[in-house]
Amino acid sequence: MIATGAWKDLVFKPYNYNSMGTLPEGGHLHPLLKVRAQIRQIFLEMGFTEMPTNNYVESSFWNFDALFQPQQHPAREAHDTFFLSEPALSHQFPRDYLEQVKRVHSRGGFGSQGYGYEWQEEEAQKNLLRTHTTAVSARMLYKLAKEGFRPAKYFSIDRVFRNEELDATHLAEFQQVEGVIADHNLTLGNLIGVLSEFFKKMGMDQLRFKPAYNPYTEPSMEIFSYHNGLGKWIEVGNSGVFRPEMLLPMGLPEDVNVIAWGLSLERPTMIKYGIDNIRDLVGPRVDLQMVYDNPICRLDKEPTIEDKARSVEDTWQLLSFQVERMKNEIRRLHSLVNQSRHIICVDPSTPPYSLLVLLRLVKSFASKTVSVETNLHSALPLLSSYFNYYLSTDSRDTQHGKGSADFNFSFVWKQSGEVKLSFCSSQRDIVGEVNVCRYLARIAEENSSTLTLYERKGEVKSSQIDECVDIIHSLLTTSNREKQSDLLKRVDKLLVASPFITGSSVSVADICLWSAINQLSDIDIIPLNIRKFFVRCCNHPWFAPHLSLN
């Protein structure tokens, strides 16, 4: 018609631009695969490496024994685990590692008393369908130890098998999502921080943690999240710090910690698609139309008006609870700060220079009175007059009688080992020089509008200060030259870009570091930036009065 021009004399039906087109036929991903793809992308964005999980069959050694799970544990019974009849046993194990695992189970080691039973290799040889992908994590950590440790982050998402009774929430096989981080000096705080970031990327930004028990992690935590779509708190996973009895037999360094967490793939998928029976998600009852109608993955469910109202009410109750808890904490801290009577036991063989600096700041309050007295334990000879002179006369002493000042400090010089601060009340003792420093720094900052030693530096800076103070605590409590050198190098890196540890002003971490340097017997291991830092401190008005004590 175009070629002949006939279309000019014909009437055509108007084209309806508002009509829906016909969807082309094509394949659709199963909901589990869609959620799996998003979780995998989250791990990759966070810098994790995917572990090889292509072996569904494991030996009991890697699945249980390597994880410090005792051989008499109920999970190792046939009513919880699928054992293989052919091949029934495995025989190829790293012998040196196997002997270490046997020893720590039977007799203990690495600071543990073990389980105190006769470990049987025949039990470890039994093959099974893996009950968790943590068996793969154990293999990876052992490989990491043998190749030479380096910080690493691993993840896996794959199928596991358990002899469960089938019901609305359980299947005999499911997919486990696992994340593992291995690095030096990791803590529970690192685990909570990583979990918060991970679940935030999944659309779950309100988390709660509940103490739990796992044979191979200590401490352990169950993870709960408030889901706005469902309007309630739900358990979303388990987590913990791998035990030394699991890590040290592999050959990993003592200061290496491994944090890990896991969840099932099915649970967030059921939440996303509003499914309350797992058999509607996996198996012959799957609604194919549901698969077709959900082409993209969103981990959050669009809430109704009732859900939003319930969510607002629950959020308000949560905020009210948190505000009340914060008020109680503030009252507790004020009560702690206002404990007027303090007894501090110190050892003259390792003078706590940091306490002298902080006490000088406490005594310089404009509106507070401070009383300081010193006592010498009968087991000690005469003490150098420097310390007594400083404590009793340096800075503004109160003329009040004993116990009538705003703050009363009694120094007791005795062979006490660690510094210890005691209260004349039911308050628990504070042990360790750096922990007493933390307390005195808070007193100083609480009562001065100009000092910023700790809290007023903000949450990020306070966290950095805490981390540095913990490193310095290790420095003060170790006599190992090599470990001292490594710790000093870590602190030295922080001083490359700033005159003090966390910036341009002095914090409690700088005071503790100055004290640690004073107590080091080997000056040759101190790096260049810390030497320069020490010179800056010696010219600083806070530190200068103490030079005669060195």
Side-chain angles (χ1 to χ4, degrees):
M1 288 189 292
I2 293 175
T4 61
W7 62 273
K8 296 178 182 179
D9 300 322
L10 298 175
V11 177
F12 293 91
K13 180 181 178 180
Y15 191 86
N16 183 4
Y17 289 96
N18 296 319
S19 65
M20 295 293 293
T22 302
L23 289 175
E25 291 294 329
H28 297 266
L29 288 176
H30 189 279
L32 281 174
L33 293 178
K34 298 171 189 175
V35 178
R36 183 190 190 280
Q38 181 168 355
I39 294 177
R40 182 175 184 273
Q41 186 61 36
I42 290 172
F43 275 118
L44 293 175
E45 288 174 359
M46 295 178 68
F48 284 74
T49 301
E50 191 164 10
M51 293 185 282
T53 55
N54 53 347
N55 51 322
Y56 290 166
V57 176
E58 279 285 6
S59 65
S60 293
F61 176 79
W62 287 107
N63 197 83
F64 295 123
D65 295 281
L67 303 179
F68 195 58
Q69 190 158 332
Q71 292 188 337
Q72 65 269 30
H73 196 280
R76 300 180 69 156
E77 301 294 334
H79 58 73
D80 284 319
T81 303
F82 292 110
F83 288 93
L84 269 66
S85 56
E86 182 63 34
L89 303 175
S90 292
H91 301 282
Q92 295 182 355
F93 305 108
R95 298 306 304 181
D96 57 341
Y97 177 43
L98 183 141
E99 291 299 325
Q100 290 276 38
V101 171
K102 177 179 179 180
R103 181 171 68 86
V104 78
H105 274 251
S106 302
R107 302 190 302 277
F110 311 107
S112 170
Q113 64 181 9
Y115 290 116
Y117 69 93
E118 192 61 36
W119 187 85
Q120 301 292 331
E121 184 172 342
E122 294 77 12
E123 185 68 27
Q125 292 175 344
K126 294 180 180 179
N127 287 330
L128 47 82
L129 293 177
R130 68 184 181 205
T131 61
H132 45 204
T133 54
T134 315
V136 182
S137 300
R139 286 181 179 271
M140 294 297 293
L141 292 171
Y142 175 72
K143 181 181 177 183
L144 190 63
K146 291 304 166 187
E147 292 178 349
F149 177 76
R150 64 186 186 283
K153 298 196 288 187
Y154 298 122
F155 81 95
S156 64
I157 309 173
D158 211 340
R159 197 175 301 274
V160 297
F161 308 86
R162 296 181 188 176
N163 195 359
E164 301 271 11
E165 183 176 350
L166 305 187
D167 58 29
T169 58
H170 294 86
L171 292 176
E173 58 180 277
F174 61 93
Q175 297 192 66
Q176 181 176 336
V177 179
E178 181 160 342
V180 176
I181 301 178
D183 206 341
H184 296 280
N185 300 311
L186 291 175
T187 66
L188 194 65
N190 297 112
L191 175 59
I192 292 174
V194 173
L195 287 173
S196 298
E197 183 65 22
F198 175 78
F199 283 102
K200 183 179 179 181
K201 290 177 177 289
M202 289 181 61
M204 303 175 182
D205 55 359
Q206 297 185 54
L207 296 181
R208 285 179 178 173
F209 302 98
K210 175 185 175 183
Y213 169 76
N214 295 316
Y216 41 88
T217 59
E218 178 61 36
S220 307
M221 300 185 302
E222 292 176 347
I223 311 160
F224 292 81
S225 174
Y226 185 84
H227 196 279
N228 292 318
L230 297 178
K232 63 180 180 179
W233 289 92
I234 58 169
E235 182 183 352
V236 293
N238 208 328
S239 65
V241 181
F242 281 150
R243 296 178 66 105
E245 295 95 329
M246 172 186 165
L247 302 178
L248 296 181
M250 297 177 175
L252 290 168
E254 289 189 11
D255 63 341
V256 167
N257 298 113
V258 179
I259 57 177
W261 68 97
L263 59 150
S264 74
L265 180 64
E266 287 77 5
R267 175 157 291 184
T269 305
M270 292 172 67
I271 294 170
K272 178 261 176 286
Y273 290 104
I275 297 172
D276 57 7
N277 192 323
I278 196 170
R279 288 169 290 196
D280 293 334
L281 182 65
V282 179
R285 290 172 53 177
V286 172
D287 180 6
L288 293 181
Q289 192 61 45
M290 180 267 294
V291 178
Y292 297 155
D293 294 342
N294 290 276
I296 62 174
C297 169
R298 290 182 59 202
L299 290 173
D300 56 335
K301 175 186 171 185
E302 186 65 29
T304 63
I305 294 177
E306 292 79 8
D307 290 336
K308 290 179 179 179
R310 188 166 55 248
S311 175
V312 169
E313 182 180 355
D314 290 342
T315 303
W316 176 254
Q317 291 179 353
L318 175 63
L319 289 173
S320 301
F321 171 77
Q322 291 176 339
V323 167
E324 188 60 33
R325 186 173 63 178
M326 289 174 65
K327 288 181 179 178
N328 291 334
E329 180 66 12
I330 290 171
R331 284 193 289 267
R332 188 189 70 82
L333 289 174
H334 274 287
S335 174
L336 180 65
V337 168
N338 291 322
Q339 296 282 348
S340 65
R341 189 71 177 162
H342 308 77
I343 301 173
I344 304 179
C345 293
V346 291
D347 196 324
S349 62
T350 55
Y353 295 99
S354 55
L355 300 190
L356 304 184
V357 176
L358 283 163
L359 187 62
R360 179 169 175 262
L361 295 174
V362 171
K363 291 168 69 177
S364 65
F365 296 155
S367 59
K368 300 289 182 178
T369 55
V370 178
S371 172
V372 179
E373 65 174 9
T374 58
N375 299 277
L376 187 65
H377 195 271
S378 59
L380 289 178
L382 290 177
L383 183 67
S384 170
S385 60
Y386 284 121
F387 297 106
N388 280 335
Y389 174 80
Y390 167 74
L391 291 171
S392 60
T393 62
D394 185 46
S395 199
R396 182 179 60 86
D397 265 333
T398 179
Q399 299 302 314
H400 291 68
K402 181 178 178 181
S404 62
D406 294 312
F407 295 96
N408 296 273
F409 294 92
S410 294
F411 272 75
V412 180
W413 297 95
K414 60 183 292 188
Q415 291 178 340
S416 55
E418 279 198 290
V419 175
K420 182 174 74 172
L421 186 150
S422 302
F423 300 89
C424 293
S425 65
S426 59
Q427 183 69 37
R428 294 179 62 183
D429 294 345
I430 299 176
V431 180
E433 181 174 346
V434 294
N435 292 319
V436 177
C437 283
R438 284 183 168 107
Y439 173 75
L440 291 180
R442 282 186 165 91
I443 289 181
E445 192 169 275
E446 178 79 16
N447 292 276
S448 172
S449 61
T450 58
L451 291 176
T452 54
L453 293 170
Y454 210 107
E455 302 291 359
R456 290 202 293 268
K457 289 180 179 289
E459 292 182 1
V460 175
K461 286 293 184 185
S462 297
S463 177
Q464 291 174 350
I465 291 172
D466 264 332
E467 183 180 358
C468 294
V469 170
D470 286 335
I471 295 173
I472 296 162
H473 172 74
S474 300
L475 186 64
L476 285 166
T477 55
T478 183
S479 58
N480 183 291
R481 176 190 172 96
E482 184 177 348
K483 187 172 182 180
Q484 284 179 342
S485 179
D486 290 341
L487 292 168
L488 285 169
K489 287 176 182 176
R490 289 177 62 186
V491 178
D492 192 63
K493 291 180 180 178
L494 301 173
L495 295 168
V496 173
S498 60
F500 297 102
I501 288 179
T502 57
S504 58
S505 60
V506 178
S507 72
V508 67
D510 299 291
I511 295 174
C512 289
L513 177 60
W514 184 78
S515 175
I517 297 171
N518 271 293
Q519 297 180 38
L520 283 178
S521 58
D522 191 347
I523 197 71
D524 294 332
I525 64 174
I526 300 179
L528 178 61
N529 288 315
I530 294 183
R531 291 172 185 264
K532 294 179 179 178
F533 159 84
F534 190 72
V535 173
R536 283 193 294 272
C537 287
C538 290
N539 294 316
H540 195 281
W542 289 5
F543 299 94
H546 308 288
L547 297 181
S548 60
L549 301 178
N550 299 344

